[in-house]
Amino acid sequence: MDKIKIIGGKKLEGKIFISGAKNAALPLICASLLTDDTVTLTNMPQLSDIKSMNALLETMGTKIDEFNDFMDGHETKTYSYRTQKFDSLVAPYDYVRKMRASYYVLGPVLARKGHVELSLPGGCAIGARPMDIHLTSLEQMGAKIEIKNGYVHADIDGRLKGAHIIFPLASVGATCNILMAATLAEGQTIIENAAKEPEIGDLITLLNKMGAKIEGINTSILKITGVKKLNGATHKVIADRIEAGSYAIAAAITKGKIELVNAQPQTLQVPLKILKSMGIKIEERENSIIVDAQNVNFEGKDIMTDYYPGFPTDLQAQFMALMTVADGASLVTEQIWENRFMHVPELLRMGANINVHGHASAIVRGVKRLSGAPVMATDLRASFALVLAGLAAEGETTVNRVYHLDRGYEKLDEKLKAVGAEIRRVSEAEDE
Ligand code: EPZ
């Protein structure tokens, strides 16, 4: 298993190209299941989660073509998806257990084929992660749902029926699944308390290009008028706001200056506001963000995660790493996931001063310097928080279980090296 080794203390300076968003790309790929035409997605990130989703679609019968592409002088991928006929209507356990987002096949396959079997994902490192909202909403639309041997079996007689659905909470996954299902339903579906994350806006844009009739983009009330058939389309995936936010913190924690090329500042307003309030200079441009923390002694700030446009849970661990070396104390409150402080024990091993209170809050008291150590994390964002701590720490940090980072950060070591980090990826054999 590969590891990342970092010698900390280098100030990062230069430009980092922000890739297409993983959490936009995953539902966009599944939207291609709604049509027998070709859906082409450009600006696709090269990540293991994308490969896993592609592999799942291939088992179901999708033909995928891959092309190398260039954007602003950077290599990106374009994929074309075409599902003329299904070889299987099953999303097997081995795929879903590796990647929960496999559940995005549920809505599209049920709407198009009238039957789907999906292995229930079960819990994961950050929480129990139920799917009740996805399932009860489909039932409201006329689906018959049964759980048998760990699988959801969903069936419909004819087409799904439009319904007025009120979500108990603004789930990102349920919003995407029900949106996709409703595009092919009979009549009108209204989703109240829908999630408003930019990745959902990106999905709506693609679906409307495919001929869907969806109103209410970027609002919490979505109105979908079902159509009989959708067509193919070409779409460019939006920039990854979480990757951009993560590298903004890399600039801050090393007191450096980085331009995040291709980042969309309007999708990161709350995190940027917090960085500014800490004394870090932020310049927002149309297609980039410049983060300048040179000669800044930043102060700790409180953060509380929330649904978009609130502070994203997917940046909580990275912000906590920053707070470990800020002046004074910060209160970090996690409201979305019940177990998202697994980075804390690892940060403590690097000399951080953090007290966790219950499941939801932690007090971080800034220390002068962290010290490098071998560390590991159990999820993607927690792993990046350890990379950040390693960039700021004195001496060498080894981040184990790099496969977590490969799920969501494209070419992380290359991007950080290009702005001056002393970082290398080593295989187990090289490390002996
Ligand atoms: C998406 O997960 C993201 N994943 C997560 O990013 C992100 O943390 C999360 O949204 C919140 O922003 C992808 O986009 C692939 P939810 P999702 O349904 O859709 C509860 C990362 O690091 N809930 O909005 O699974 C749930 O338990 C990942 O890239 C129910 O109770 O999140 C949680 O407490 C990690 N019942 C809350 O809602 C349901 O049926 C939000 O979950 C569904 C969700």
Side-chain angles (χ1 to χ4, degrees):
M1 232 176 275
D2 288 3
K3 300 171 179 186
I4 295 265
K5 287 188 179 280
I6 303 165
I7 308 286
K10 305 278 182 294
K11 189 173 168 182
L12 303 188
E13 278 176 276
K15 292 182 184 202
I16 292 182
F17 179 80
I18 301 305
S19 303
K22 164 181 87 82
N23 289 347
L26 294 170
L28 293 174
I29 293 173
C30 293
S32 72
L33 294 167
L34 288 160
T35 174
D36 56 8
D37 273 357
T38 302
V39 172
T40 300
L41 300 175
T42 67
N43 195 32
M44 288 284 277
Q46 295 174 61
L47 299 170
S48 61
D49 269 12
I50 301 297
K51 288 197 183 120
S52 302
M53 189 63 96
N54 285 351
L56 171 61
L57 262 70
E58 278 171 337
T59 68
M60 301 185 100
T62 308
K63 301 279 175 271
I64 305 176
D65 289 313
E66 180 183 329
F67 311 91
N68 290 328
D69 229 334
F70 281 92
M71 222 184 90
D72 302 331
H74 293 264
E75 205 180 290
T76 71
K77 288 272 176 205
T78 291
Y79 291 100
S80 284
Y81 299 86
R82 186 170 186 135
T83 316
Q84 279 181 307
K85 68 168 192 49
F86 282 85
D87 296 332
S88 157
L89 301 178
V90 182
Y93 177 65
D94 269 350
Y95 289 87
V96 184
R97 109 188 131 73
K98 281 197 207 125
M99 192 190 48
R100 296 184 50 86
S102 308
Y103 62 43
Y104 282 135
V105 303
L106 180 67
V109 177
L110 180 64
R112 185 160 152 213
K113 297 306 290 178
H115 175 77
V116 62
E117 292 170 34
L118 168 83
S119 168
L120 267 176
C124 77
I126 61 175
R129 309 194 73 167
M131 280 194 70
D132 53 315
I133 304 172
H134 306 233
L135 301 181
T136 52
S137 305
L138 288 172
E139 278 177 331
Q140 238 188 295
M141 298 174 76
K144 198 170 143 272
I145 308 268
E146 260 191 287
I147 312 285
K148 277 191 287 195
N149 310 112
Y151 277 73
V152 176
H153 293 244
D155 286 281
I156 43 173
D157 202 6
R159 288 167 73 191
L160 283 162
K161 308 272 178 299
H164 189 145
I165 299 165
I166 304 174
F167 282 169
L169 53 85
S171 157
V172 171
T175 304
C176 292
N177 240 333
I178 302 310
L179 251 179
M180 290 190 276
T183 58
L184 290 180
E186 206 177 300
Q188 193 176 73
T189 299
I190 292 174
I191 308 175
E192 274 192 57
N193 197 22
K196 292 183 290 193
E197 271 66 4
E199 295 74 26
I200 292 165
D202 208 32
L203 176 64
I204 293 176
T205 305
L206 170 67
L207 291 170
N208 280 344
K209 280 186 198 169
M210 291 168 68
K213 294 200 167 77
I214 305 170
E215 292 168 51
I217 187 165
N218 301 331
T219 75
S220 57
I221 302 186
L222 300 174
K223 197 159 100 183
I224 308 111
T225 307
V227 296
K228 283 216 170 96
K229 206 172 169 345
L230 292 175
N231 47 261
T234 296
H235 181 74
K236 178 180 164 195
V237 180
I238 53 165
D240 195 318
R241 65 193 164 101
I242 304 301
E243 191 199 22
S246 302
Y247 288 122
I249 299 170
I253 207 167
T254 63
K255 302 205 173 186
K257 182 177 177 183
I258 299 181
E259 178 171 4
L260 306 163
V261 180
N262 199 33
Q264 300 300 309
Q266 71 279 10
T267 62
L268 272 168
Q269 284 300 302
V270 172
L272 293 180
K273 199 168 157 194
I274 288 178
L275 288 174
K276 281 181 204 161
S277 73
M278 293 171 74
I280 295 157
K281 291 186 207 85
I282 304 285
E283 191 183 324
E284 296 179 32
R285 296 191 172 170
E286 203 183 320
N287 277 314
S288 84
I289 304 170
I290 299 172
V291 183
D292 184 357
Q294 295 175 111
N295 309 314
V296 176
N297 282 328
F298 44 81
E299 285 170 37
K301 290 283 165 193
D302 296 348
I303 59 160
M304 187 187 282
T305 64
D306 209 341
Y307 300 100
Y308 190 84
F311 191 93
T313 172
D314 292 346
L315 283 176
Q316 177 260 107
Q318 302 88 316
F319 252 85
M320 192 187 283
L322 179 62
M323 300 310 170
T324 64
V325 291
D327 286 343
S330 327
L331 177 63
V332 176
T333 308
E334 171 60 53
Q335 301 200 102
I336 306 295
W337 300 112
E338 63 271 26
N339 187 26
R340 216 173 193 186
F341 285 142
M342 288 96 53
H343 39 287
V344 171
E346 300 299 300
L347 290 171
L348 294 180
R349 298 186 56 250
M350 297 178 73
N353 180 348
I354 306 168
N355 277 308
V356 175
H357 299 262
H359 288 298
S361 59
I363 301 226
V364 187
R365 293 185 174 86
V367 296
K368 275 222 148 49
R369 199 81 202 259
L370 297 171
S371 63
V375 285
M376 66 168 124
T378 43
D379 94 321
L380 166 63
R381 310 303 172 186
S383 299
F384 197 92
L386 300 178
V387 169
L388 289 167
L391 290 171
E394 210 162 70
E396 186 177 85
T397 296
T398 304
V399 182
N400 294 290
R401 299 190 177 168
V402 170
Y403 59 87
H404 286 300
L405 291 164
D406 291 338
R407 295 186 63 172
Y409 289 95
E410 182 177 53
K411 298 181 184 163
L412 165 136
D413 47 327
E414 288 176 34
K415 288 187 183 188
L416 283 170
K417 202 185 278 174
V419 290
E422 201 171 327
I423 183 169
R424 66 198 168 94
R425 190 180 172 117
V426 289
S427 65
E428 193 110 50
E430 282 173 86
D431 202 30
E432 276 161 2

